[in-house]
Each structure stands twice: as structure tokens, then as C-alpha cells.
Amino acid sequence: KNEVEQSPQNLTAQEGEFITINCSYSVGISALHWLQQHPGGGIVSLFMLSSGKKKHGRLIATINIQEKHSSLHITASHPRDSAVYICAVFMNYGGSQGNLIFGKGTKLSVKP
Amino acid sequence: KAGVTQTPRYLIKTRGQQVTLSCSPISGHRSVSWYQQTPGQGLQFLFEYFSETQRNKGNFPGRFSGRQFSNSRSEMNVSTLELGDSALYLCASTDTYGYTFGSGTRLTVV
């Protein structure tokens, strides 16, 4: 079993729809990241969170530390949101820096 | 401010050769980390450097190595290349606000 599981693997939506991508992890973490990767490879860090909720424009990320679960929401989706969204967790090694462990990604396609 | 710069963008090498990739972080960032991305394994952590010291290492063979210079620029080296080393290699520089990734170097081993 992977330490970081994302669902769904693939998601197709119509423009304007509300989208949710889920991430579950099984290890102790100090932070969780949501990343966006467009075709061509470039990765953009969307959020880094260790508790609660963050919002940036149409994007909202939440994390529940007790349940080891995070969600990324996109409101009023647009074709330019089409990308792979990757969840990554920063493992907690007893207070010292750990490694980033990545989920397999969710491929989102938003149709006009 | 300038982003993270990786060179070269594309590289083709032959099995058995060695390769060196370069990463220049955002000015002022002292932490640089490296990642390998393949279709089968996804993104995997290679190593992290901070102030010229390797702070963490992922689960990769010793053929993969790296270093960081006093100006925070980092290089990674892969020796005795194998076909399975074909991948997108990404570096990221880090500050307290998070990670900034470079565009990557796409390595093809033939």
C-alpha cells in the first residue's frame, strides 16, 4: 500500500463544475503540499499546509490531521485548470527534516 | 525575482555514460532538493542539500550523487547510466513558504 493515496486517478469535468480531489496518507507528517503539473513537466506549488484550510483564488485546500486526509477543491472550474494535481507529504522524522513522499497524481481534464 | 533554473532542458545519453545536471535555486534559498519522475514510479525524492551538506537522501543506488556549492547552486550526477534512468529530473529550492520547482531536465538514455 502506498503511503500517499490520491483519488480519483482521472477526473473529467465540465467547465463551471465544482471539483474535489482527495489525498489520504498513512505516516506522521509535518506538512502536506498540493502541486500542479501541466503538460511539459513544470510543477507549481499550490499550497503547503499543516492544519486547517487555505484559499487562493478558486482553489481551496483543507487538511484533517487526525483523519490523515486532505482535499483540494476547485470552484467554477475552467479548461485552464486541466493538469495533474499531486499531493505530497513531508514526513515527520521525530522533529528532524524528512523526505517528500508523493501521491501518484490526479489527472484533471475540464471540458468547455 | 528569477525562478529556479535547471540546465540542460533535454539530454540524450548512451547506456554506461555518466551525466551531470545543474540547478540554480532562487537567490537567497539555501535548500535544494532533487526528484526523479517516471511514468511508472511517479515522483520520487532523490536528495536534499542545505548549506553544502546533504541533509536527506531517498532510496536510490549510489550511482546517483549530488553536491551543493557555496552559492547554493547544486549538481546531481548519475554514473553508469541505465535505460531505466530515463526520466524527468526536477529540482526545487525551498524557503519557509514552500517549494519552487524548476522546469526539469528530461534525460533519455539509449
Side-chain angles (χ1 to χ4, degrees):
Chain A
K1 187 180 187 296
N2 293 330
E3 289 162 309
V4 181
E5 297 274 2
Q6 281 186 244
S7 63
Q9 267 187 298
N10 293 283
L11 183 54
T12 300
Q14 286 300 127
E15 184 173 356
E17 283 186 3
F18 180 85
I19 287 161
T20 296
I21 299 170
N22 295 299
C23 175
S24 297
Y25 53 92
S26 57
V27 295
I29 70 167
S30 56
L32 181 144
H33 300 257
W34 281 102
L35 310 171
Q36 179 193 56
Q37 186 172 33
H38 281 283
I43 291 181
V44 174
S45 178
L46 298 174
F47 295 104
M48 179 175 70
L49 45 155
S50 53
S51 65
K53 175 179 170 177
K54 285 190 177 180
K55 184 176 189 288
H56 186 258
R58 295 179 296 106
L59 302 177
I60 303 166
T62 64
I63 188 169
N64 185 317
I65 296 293
Q66 286 74 29
E67 294 186 6
K68 293 190 165 73
H69 181 268
S70 175
S71 293
L72 176 68
H73 305 285
I74 305 175
T75 62
S77 60
H78 189 277
R80 65 175 174 265
D81 297 325
S82 298
V84 176
Y85 292 84
I86 301 168
C87 170
V89 299
F90 205 40
M91 287 177 63
N92 192 346
Y93 280 156
S96 64
Q97 293 272 1
N99 302 342
L100 264 184
I101 301 176
F102 298 88
K104 296 292 187 190
T106 296
K107 186 174 182 181
L108 171 65
S109 178
V110 181
K111 307 291 186 190
Chain B
K1 59 183 178 184
V4 178
T5 303
Q6 287 191 249
T7 56
R9 286 298 308 276
Y10 301 93
L11 205 47
I12 300 175
K13 289 286 189 178
T14 305
R15 266 185 308 173
Q17 285 187 312
Q18 68 95 27
V19 67
T20 299
L21 312 181
S22 178
C23 173
S24 294
I26 290 173
S27 178
H29 287 196
R30 292 158 66 189
S31 173
V32 173
S33 48
W34 288 89
Y35 307 88
Q36 182 197 64
Q37 187 176 36
T38 59
Q41 297 296 320
L43 270 164
Q44 293 181 280
F45 169 79
L46 279 157
F47 25 66
E48 185 208 0
Y49 287 88
F50 181 84
S51 292
E52 302 179 64
T53 301
Q54 188 180 87
R55 196 156 61 171
N56 241 307
K57 191 177 192 304
N59 190 24
F60 278 81
R63 299 186 297 108
F64 291 81
S65 63
R67 58 178 175 169
Q68 187 180 31
F69 302 95
S70 58
N71 62 357
S72 292
R73 189 177 73 85
S74 177
E75 288 181 348
M76 68 162 279
N77 184 277
V78 188
S79 62
T80 322
L81 283 165
E82 301 176 359
L83 294 178
D85 297 332
S86 294
L88 179 67
Y89 290 88
L90 291 151
C91 80
S93 75
T94 313
D95 65 2
T96 46
Y97 301 103
Y99 288 72
T100 303
F101 287 83
S103 299
T105 294
R106 190 165 294 280
L107 171 66
T108 302
V109 182
V110 298

